[in-house]
Amino acid sequence: MDITAKQALTALQEKSDKKIAEHSARFFKTAEGEYGEDDIFLGIRVPVIRSFVKRWLTMPLLQNEKLLHSPYHEARLAAVILLSEKFKRADSKTQKAIYQLYLNNTAYINNWDIVDSSSHKIIGPYLFEKSHQPLFKLVKSDQLWERRIAIITTYYFIKRQKFETALELISQTLTDKEDLIHKASGWMLREIGNKDRSTEESFLNEHYQVMPRTMLRYAIEKFPLSRRKYYLKK
């Protein structure tokens, strides 16, 4: 019999750990005014979550969506990891359904680890040979996590030597107010550099003087010391 969202949540709750939950609440910035404000943690390590996901692959999408709506951070993380695993194994019709479910539920994909575990594994492959316009809509969103989804999705493209969309989206985040967007954009620039250093440096030479400091530091992290100093001093 297929597992339900309620059964999955019960299994997760049985593995809860108060000390881990307290640490996670601090790590993911859940205090008032912080990016993870009011998020609730069970206290479960990611390898444990992944071990559960392997057993839940036959969970119906409707139940998967219900799990994603959980108030518990680890349940939402499990839900997107499960969606990512299903996407890899699915036919085109089911992949489309997973893609639409994901975009319809971005309100619950609401912390950086939940975004980073899934967007480039679902949105990336689905849009790879289609129009990338949905990403340009997301990057203009008022919601921090939708903007991060847009940026992290491009990791799928970058790994396949396709940089144009990533660079266009990153250029739109140069004036973003959120440090988590600066980190995401800097990370994707670094990944571009890992594939093609000249492409990254061309972008940096055009934008580094107006680029947020955090974004620049992430982008040049793998550069030789002398080259890092060159950009940081100027």
Side-chain angles (χ1 to χ4, degrees), residues 27-58:
F27 183 76
F28 286 100
K29 309 295 184 184
T30 61
E32 184 178 355
E34 294 182 318
Y35 64 76
E37 183 177 353
D38 293 332
D39 204 354
I40 304 172
F41 288 82
L42 291 169
I44 308 172
R45 301 294 190 194
V46 174
V48 176
I49 293 172
R50 291 189 179 277
S51 70
F52 276 119
V53 167
K54 291 178 182 178
R55 306 176 215 167
W56 297 345
L57 292 174
T58 60

Side-chain angles (χ1 to χ4, degrees), residues 107-208:
Y108 303 95
I109 303 168
N110 57 353
N111 215 310
W112 58 263
D113 62 323
I114 303 177
V115 172
D116 296 2
S117 297
S118 56
S119 63
H120 66 289
K121 297 180 179 180
I122 297 173
I123 309 299
Y126 185 79
L127 292 182
F128 186 59
E129 295 183 348
K130 301 179 179 68
S131 169
H132 295 175
Q133 192 57 40
L135 300 180
F136 290 93
K137 181 179 179 181
L138 287 170
V139 83
K140 294 178 181 178
S141 171
D142 292 335
Q143 301 302 314
L144 161 64
W145 306 117
E146 289 191 343
R147 301 201 302 279
R148 188 166 175 112
I149 286 170
I151 298 300
I152 300 300
T153 289
T154 66
Y155 189 27
Y156 185 88
F157 308 154
I158 292 166
K159 288 192 290 185
R160 288 154 182 78
Q161 306 279 346
K162 302 294 183 181
F163 309 135
E164 182 178 354
T165 295
L167 293 172
E168 288 182 25
L169 290 169
I170 291 167
S171 69
Q172 295 189 36
T173 69
L174 294 173
T175 57
D176 200 288
K177 303 299 183 184
E178 294 287 350
D179 193 58
L180 283 168
I181 299 300
H182 304 165
K183 290 178 179 178
S185 291
W187 173 18
M188 291 304 104
L189 282 171
R190 185 173 73 240
E191 293 299 334
I192 290 171
N194 288 341
K195 297 291 186 181
D196 186 336
R197 178 62 61 81
S198 64
T199 296
E200 181 188 4
E201 291 224 41
S202 177
F203 184 89
L204 289 175
N205 290 336
E206 183 176 355
H207 298 292
Y208 76 93

Side-chain angles (χ1 to χ4, degrees), residues 23 36 61 92 98 100 102-104 142 144 192 195 200:
H23 175 268
L61 281 183
S92 59
I98 292 171
Q100 291 177 331
Y102 193 93
L103 286 189
N104 288 340
D142 292 335
L144 161 64
I192 290 171
K195 297 291 186 181
E200 181 188 4

Side-chain angles (χ1 to χ4, degrees), residues 217-234:
R217 286 187 177 278
Y218 268 60
I220 63 176
E221 188 177 88
K222 299 290 182 67
F223 283 19
L225 178 60
S226 61
R227 200 63 180 155
R228 295 202 305 272
K229 287 182 176 179
Y230 167 81
Y231 284 109
L232 291 171
K233 286 183 178 179
K234 296 188 70 174

